[in-house]
Amino acid sequence: MKLKFLVLVAAGAVFAAGAVSAQDVDTFVKNKCLICHDVEKKKMGAPFKESSAKYAANANAVAELLPKLKDGKDGHPKVAGSDEELKAALGKALSYK
Ligand code: HEC
């Protein structure tokens, strides 16, 4: 529960910064992430629920994953978007339980 709280706080911080609205995040995730990912099932990439469980204990998960998506590193294809959009999308992806 405490970890879930931390994830929500982290996501809240992103939204509070006013960079990307919750609706924009949903659209971004739908257009840019769900091409290769699904929340429940394995597609080209891992299901978001699985990644969320994998990174549940890692408070720096979003910061650590950002360069992978941004620059296309460590086996992750490069995803176009601003840092704010990618961070918000990662926060969303890791919020699925
Ligand atoms: C072109 C296909 C593609 C797109 C688009 C894509 N991914 Fe991925 N993703 C992958 C693949 C393939 C992997 C498995 C390789 C890896 O673990 O890095 C992966 C892995 C991941 C992981 C797990 C990384 C790990 O270390 O366990 C996360 C989280 C993730 N993607 C989030 C996202 C988010 C958020 C977006 C949208 C901003 C996104 N991905 C867009 C293909 C994609």
Side-chain angles (χ1 to χ4, degrees):
M1 276 302 116
K2 187 172 171 229
L3 289 166
K4 186 168 187 180
F5 174 74
L6 284 173
V7 169
L8 290 175
V9 169
V14 171
F15 298 142
V20 191
S21 76
Q23 198 189 348
D24 288 348
V25 177
D26 287 347
T27 307
F28 188 84
V29 169
K30 188 164 160 252
N31 293 336
K32 303 274 187 152
C33 312
L34 297 182
I35 305 160
C36 300
H37 291 273
D38 186 85
V39 173
E40 312 266 350
K41 287 174 295 187
K42 165 116 180 97
K43 241 171 140 177
M44 193 203 239
F48 282 155
K49 279 193 177 173
E50 192 180 299
S51 297
S52 150
K54 177 178 166 187
Y55 287 97
N58 185 346
N60 285 322
V62 169
E64 285 174 20
L65 290 169
L66 177 64
K68 288 179 131 202
L69 274 64
K70 196 175 153 55
D71 304 320
K73 280 200 289 206
D74 299 331
H76 198 284
K78 188 176 164 115
V79 184
S82 69
D83 282 15
E84 284 71 27
E85 286 169 328
L86 293 173
K87 276 193 231 168
L90 280 165
K92 175 98 188 172
L94 300 182
S95 73
Y96 293 105
K97 300 290 169 210

